[in-house]
Amino acid sequence: MSDNQMLVLNRADLESLGLTWAEIIDVLDDAFSQKARGLVQNPPKPKVASREDAFINAMPAYLGGSDRIGIKWVAGYEQNHTKGLPYIYGAVIMNDAETGRPMALLDGGWITEMRTPG
């Protein structure tokens, strides 16, 4: 992949990675540790609503300890269940922290539908 191409990972791509809950928890633990050390920028998420029972939030974050930056664009539409659709849809864009170049676009809704441990 050249420096000018963006990696695009859909749900099937992400599921094929075979991430375990232990791996996911390790990443979350690292992010919370960085936040506790004051290394995270995570401003309040702005919200827009095209329907009374719906929302779309922009959720930017910078993890200074690992020099990672990105944004999740997440939509919750309560009426989707009546249409046989998921309540939550999302997309994540990861940027190069040094240049701002978008590096990857990921399906941001897949993790919300994973089965929880237990």
Side-chain angles (χ1 to χ4, degrees):
M1 182 171 77
S2 79
D3 286 342
N4 292 322
Q5 291 182 327
M6 184 184 332
L7 178 65
V8 177
L9 298 174
N10 63 28
R11 179 179 301 245
D13 296 327
L14 294 167
E15 288 174 348
S16 74
L17 295 174
L19 295 174
T20 66
W21 275 107
E23 291 168 321
I24 292 168
I25 290 168
D26 284 347
V27 170
L28 292 172
D29 183 58
D30 178 59
F32 282 115
S33 294
Q34 288 185 51
K35 179 142 177 85
R37 295 190 322 263
L39 301 174
V40 172
Q41 295 177 46
N42 186 219
K45 53 190 170 190
K47 172 187 171 183
V48 294
S50 62
R51 305 288 185 272
E52 188 173 306
D53 61 349
F55 68 86
I56 298 181
N57 291 336
M59 301 162 62
Y62 173 64
L63 279 69
S66 55
D67 204 26
R68 303 282 187 247
I69 191 165
I71 187 166
K72 182 172 183 181
W73 183 252
V74 63
Y77 278 63
E78 198 168 300
Q79 73 275 13
N80 278 357
H81 76 280
T82 64
K83 301 174 184 177
L85 299 171
Y87 168 61
I88 296 286
Y89 283 104
V92 176
I93 299 174
M94 296 301 299
N95 298 78
D96 181 293
E98 186 176 334
T99 67
R101 179 181 67 83
M103 296 173 54
L105 171 64
L106 298 83
D107 180 326
W110 76 280
I111 193 75
T112 60
E113 293 183 21
M114 286 182 63
R115 291 181 181 254
T116 54

